[in-house]
Amino acid sequence: MANQCPISSQFVVFIIITYFMFILGELIRPLPRPLPNDILSLHIATRLRTDPNSIKLASSDYGNLVQENSIAVLYPSSIDDIVTLIKFANNCSTPLISISARGHGHSVRGQAMARDGVVVDMGALSENGIGIRVSSNRNPSSGYYYADVVSWTDYLYLTVGGTLSNAGISGQSFLHGPQISNVLELDVVTGKGDFITCSKNMNSELFLAVLGGLGQFGIITRARIILQKAPTRAKWVRLLYSDFSIFTRDQEHLISTNIPSYVEGSLITHMSPPNNWRSSFYSPSHYSKITSLLKSNNGHLYSIEVVKYYDDQSADTIDEELQSLLKDLGFNPGFIFKKDVALIDFLGRVGNIDNQNSEGQLETHPWLNLFVPKSRILDFNAGVFLDIIARHNQTSGPILFYPFNRNKWDDRMSAVIPDEDIFYTLGLLHSSRPDQSGNFDKLNNEIIEFCEKAGIKIKQYLPHYKSKKDWMKHYGPKWNTFQETKTKYDPKMILSPGQRIFNSVDSSDI
Ligand SMILES: Cc1cc2nc3c(=O)[nH]c(=O)nc-3n(C[C@H](O)[C@H](O)[C@H](O)COP(=O)(O)OP(=O)(O)OC[C@H]3O[C@@H](n4cnc5c(N)ncnc54)[C@H](O)[C@@H]3O)c2cc1C
């Protein structure tokens, strides 16, 4: 019998070894730090949870690449709960506990986690009635209509606090700037536990530091954001290009006119097809037409997505306006695709994200997001799109590539961008099986190394570095201010340790 079934005996041995490895792993895994006793005497004790579900959620994120166990999760019912926790951490005898605000955990490298610390679930504030307050009056100083928001579960299912900690970019940023450029005022609980209202005119140092500040200086508990009247409909157009220089020339022309409401661009390959989770735009017949063009163009195409919003007042003239906008563009003849949709459907095109692959397995998302200076995009195309990405030939997610105007950003804020009037963003939004994520890390590293060798001064968006030296390089001339502001508002380095800027970094690396 044994001779007839050699695989099953090997299989049994394999199971036994795996079982013992698992037990061994469990035995040597460091135990989580216990919750300091005195925290339980605070009034927030009943809102601190240590149950496995709460810990598991706070120890994972969209990337599914990093796991850092916190010791507790705070579900604040008021801003005072957050103040109490941060003050407690400041007065805690060593070792200190760290604290991380968590929006929706849409980070991909553990940025909202706090190993052996406390994660603050910001969504709990809105559940406790501290939600969006839209004002029907104009802001006296700026003249804008505004909304006061804590967490804004919009179509992207991101939070305002989380996006303001990075920048908040989209196809509308060429016109309105990133989300951080549209903030009038913030309430922040600093790393010392001080509650401070700030704006460009009031406590401006903190205001500018927090915007794009990766959660390092304080927890945003309210943001006053500029609102505009929303039109009702959108003319949604996609244009396909075989030629990279015409594709980028046209994108730059579009963003210089200020006429479109939205401009994005992307790379299409066999591995990153025209329809994907960000939107399913093409009909089957259009899809096969594009696939034929893709084959005849060596497996790569470029696509511009341009959208113009309109409403009843502009309905009679919108087609003419769109035609005049597109008439001089150099897309491949016949490769223009149009839709006319309700604005709400355009905004909701991504829908909710599904974190499961078809086999029901949790996917990983080893994303890479970069800003690339305009002066080097031809080299970037040759080295990254036509060489590295083509060579790796891995099934990937969407590959975004579209430009911004630097004058819509405020360089005094913490967000870091290239030093050129126009720069592009690259979004490599990979999804992969967990056992394949290493291949995407290799691909990402190859791109970064290529840019370094070629002297292309990229900056990472949603940055992720392992050494302090890399962080200093990332911030460049802003580093000293960033560090000094950290010392002023979070001297004990309590906040957002998952970013690994001031915590968990080998200082011998400097
Ligand atoms: C499907 C998807 C689509 C995306 N699309 C875009 C896009 O179009 N444009 C774009 O710019 N980004 C986009 N992102 C990236 C997104 O901006 C980041 O993931 C960002 O971190 C927001 O996610 P979050 O709100 O869940 O924050 P989290 O991941 O929970 O937190 C991110 C960081 O901010 C800190 N933080 C969170 N809340 C606060 C707060 N209230 N105060 C201070 N610090 C805080 C955390 O400690 C952490 O360091 C996308 C991400 C996903 C997963």
Side-chain angles (χ1 to χ4, degrees):
M1 280 299 275
N3 283 345
Q4 283 169 347
C5 292
I7 295 174
S8 54
S9 58
Q10 280 172 4
F11 184 68
V12 171
V13 172
F14 171 75
I15 292 287
I16 292 170
I17 292 174
T18 311
Y19 176 75
F20 279 109
M21 297 282 282
F22 173 76
I23 297 290
L24 189 66
E26 288 299 300
L27 288 175
I28 59 175
R29 181 192 296 226
L31 287 172
R33 267 176 58 188
L35 211 52
N37 271 339
D38 29 356
I39 204 171
L40 298 173
S41 61
L42 301 173
H43 75 269
I44 54 171
T46 54
R47 287 181 281 283
L48 278 169
R49 288 203 211 143
T50 55
D51 59 280
N53 281 345
S54 302
I55 300 292
K56 192 174 167 198
L57 188 69
S59 311
S60 58
D61 64 17
Y62 181 74
N64 193 23
L65 294 156
V66 174
Q67 191 195 334
E68 298 280 24
N69 284 349
S70 54
I71 51 173
V73 182
L74 176 71
Y75 293 87
S77 64
S78 68
I79 291 157
D80 186 51
D81 289 354
I82 298 174
V83 171
T84 304
L85 176 69
I86 297 185
K87 289 221 153 125
F88 170 82
N90 271 278
N91 298 326
C92 209
S93 52
T94 50
L96 282 170
I97 58 163
S98 57
I99 295 171
S100 191
R102 184 180 196 272
H104 284 165
H106 278 134
S107 296
V108 295
R109 301 275 176 182
Q111 285 94 333
M113 297 177 197
R115 183 174 11 161
D116 287 342
V118 177
V119 169
V120 182
D121 186 316
M122 297 303 290
L125 278 182
S126 48
E127 280 158 28
N128 281 285
I130 308 175
I132 302 171
R133 292 185 296 271
V134 179
S135 166
S136 56
N137 299 318
R138 285 172 192 266
N139 189 27
S141 56
S142 64
Y144 291 113
Y145 288 99
Y146 61 86
D148 285 336
V149 291
V150 176
S151 61
W152 192 327
T153 52
D154 66 7
Y155 71 102
L156 279 177
Y157 299 85
L158 307 168
T159 66
V160 169
T163 45
L164 292 184
S165 299
N166 285 291
I169 55 171
S170 77
Q172 301 168 125
S173 301
F174 80 90
L175 192 58
H176 302 291
Q179 204 175 334
I180 49 173
S181 296
N182 292 278
V183 181
L184 299 170
E185 193 177 275
L186 296 171
D187 284 344
V188 175
V189 182
T190 70
K192 291 202 278 191
D194 298 328
F195 176 86
I196 298 180
T197 299
C198 56
S199 68
K200 274 192 182 159
N201 304 319
M202 187 196 341
N203 300 311
S204 60
E205 181 188 52
L206 180 64
F207 181 76
L208 296 169
V210 164
L211 293 170
L214 305 177
Q216 294 305 305
F217 310 102
I219 295 188
I220 302 167
T221 56
R222 179 183 63 94
R224 177 164 290 184
I225 292 189
I226 296 170
L227 293 182
Q228 281 196 337
K229 188 173 178 295
T232 49
R233 298 201 62 81
K235 292 276 181 187
W236 184 4
V237 181
R238 289 207 182 159
L239 312 163
L240 293 194
Y241 293 76
S242 306
D243 186 302
F244 181 78
S245 39
I246 305 178
F247 157 72
T248 49
R249 181 202 69 189
D250 283 0
Q251 288 201 89
E252 285 168 33
H253 168 70
L254 287 169
I255 69 161
S256 72
T257 64
N258 281 357
I259 296 173
S261 315
Y262 172 105
V263 177
E264 284 202 3
S266 56
L267 174 72
I268 297 175
T269 69
H270 295 299
M271 298 303 185
S272 180
N275 281 341
N276 55 52
W277 58 263
R278 290 190 89 247
S279 78
S280 190
F281 186 88
Y282 298 106
S283 66
S285 66
H286 289 161
Y287 199 91
S288 55
K289 187 177 165 186
I290 297 168
T291 313
S292 306
L293 180 66
L294 189 60
K295 275 191 198 136
S296 64
N297 204 53
N298 296 323
H300 65 268
L301 288 174
Y302 307 97
S303 164
I304 293 184
E305 181 167 50
V306 52
V307 183
K308 179 75 185 164
Y309 306 153
Y310 72 102
D311 50 25
D312 288 347
Q313 285 80 50
S314 47
D316 292 342
T317 52
I318 182 70
D319 285 327
E320 210 179 308
E321 201 181 347
L322 199 61
Q323 207 176 348
S324 113
L325 180 70
L326 304 178
K327 76 176 180 338
D328 294 326
L329 302 186
F331 52 90
N332 289 26
F335 284 87
I336 173 166
F337 305 91
K338 295 183 188 165
K339 279 189 178 182
D340 185 339
V341 295
L343 181 66
I344 194 81
D345 293 334
F346 172 68
L347 297 179
R349 68 199 176 284
V350 179
N352 200 348
I353 39 170
D354 182 3
N355 210 12
Q356 306 273 327
N357 69 13
S358 51
E359 294 141 29
Q361 219 180 3
L362 263 190
E363 293 193 326
T364 55
H365 299 102
W367 288 9
L368 177 69
N369 293 271
L370 300 177
F371 292 144
V372 185
K374 171 198 147 122
S375 63
R376 302 299 306 276
I377 52 172
L378 292 181
D379 300 320
F380 191 85
N381 177 52
V384 175
F385 292 154
L386 302 185
D387 181 21
I388 300 174
I389 289 183
R391 210 165 7 87
H392 275 258
N393 203 26
Q394 280 162 289
T395 305
S396 178
I399 302 177
L400 307 181
F401 196 71
Y402 60 92
F404 300 123
N405 293 310
R406 191 177 208 276
N407 64 8
K408 301 283 178 185
W409 295 63
D410 184 339
D411 202 31
R412 296 169 304 164
M413 293 174 182
S414 294
V416 176
I417 54 175
D419 194 9
E420 287 193 13
D421 290 346
I422 293 177
F423 59 94
Y424 280 70
T425 183
L426 168 78
L428 284 180
L429 311 183
H430 312 295
S431 293
S432 88
R433 285 192 349 224
D435 59 347
Q436 301 284 310
S437 68
N439 296 341
F440 286 100
D441 284 338
K442 273 191 205 138
L443 169 69
N444 295 343
N445 289 338
E446 216 176 301
I447 293 172
I448 291 169
E449 278 165 24
F450 161 77
C451 291
E452 265 165 22
K453 280 196 191 129
I456 303 177
K457 294 192 175 133
I458 49 164
K459 292 291 176 191
Q460 281 193 34
Y461 179 57
L462 314 174
H464 161 68
Y465 297 107
K466 291 196 176 120
S467 77
K468 195 160 188 171
K469 196 164 125 200
D470 285 338
W471 280 110
M472 290 168 75
K473 189 169 162 213
H474 174 77
Y475 281 103
K478 286 186 174 183
W479 171 255
N480 282 347
T481 311
F482 194 81
Q483 199 176 26
E484 280 161 27
T485 318
K486 177 76 173 175
T487 311
K488 184 163 172 188
Y489 292 103
D490 182 20
K492 297 201 170 168
M493 315 281 174
I494 285 168
L495 294 177
S496 282
Q499 297 281 2
R500 294 167 181 263
I501 306 175
F502 299 101
N503 317 60
S504 316
V505 165
D506 179 4
S507 48
S508 62
D509 224 341
I510 303 172

